[in-house]
Amino acid sequence: MYSDTEGLAERLSAVKVDDTHFKSKHLPLKAGNALPIAYGGFCIGFAVNAATATVPEGRMLYSILGQFLGPVMIEEERSFTVSLLSLTSVLVLRF
């Protein structure tokens, strides 16, 4: 279970499998629901960590977009594939 001594960034960290594939370092935490699920916000946190690991040094996160995110199972690791959408001198887009 999450505690005050465990950092949120660590809880949402992603482990690099290869250049574009990542997996969650920790399982999602159960949310206030009787079912064994976590809410979609955990996936956003994992995805942000994975995507930022693929961005060139010195670039900063500007915005995140997530639309109706369904629940995730708490017994399974999350895995992600980060896709490059655009790379310019001022903008990097990831999906």
Side-chain angles (χ1 to χ4, degrees), residues 4-6 8-9 11-12 15-16 22 26 29 32 43 49 52-53 57 60 63-65 69 76 79 89 92:
D4 292 339
T5 59
E6 182 180 23
L8 182 59
R11 174 45 87 181
L12 298 175
V15 177
K16 189 173 188 175
F22 296 82
H26 302 281
L29 294 174
C43 280
N49 280 324
T52 55
E57 186 99 15
M60 305 288 276
S63 67
I64 306 164
L65 175 64
L69 298 169
E76 302 172 2
S79 61
S89 62
V92 177

Side-chain angles (χ1 to χ4, degrees), residues 23-93:
K23 67 177 185 168
S24 58
K25 187 173 181 181
H26 302 281
L27 296 174
L29 294 174
K30 183 177 178 182
N33 191 310
L35 297 173
I37 60 171
Y39 295 117
F42 277 99
C43 280
I44 289 178
F46 292 139
V48 165
N49 280 324
T52 55
T54 68
V55 175
E57 186 99 15
R59 299 293 178 101
M60 305 288 276
L61 178 65
Y62 179 74
S63 67
I64 306 164
L65 175 64
Q67 299 176 356
F68 182 74
L69 298 169
V72 295
M73 301 304 293
I74 61 172
E75 297 94 5
E76 302 172 2
E77 288 181 333
R78 304 288 94 201
S79 61
F80 306 92
T81 300
V82 179
S83 300
L84 172 65
L85 296 180
S86 177
L87 176 61
T88 69
S89 62
V90 294
L91 178 68
V92 177
L93 295 177

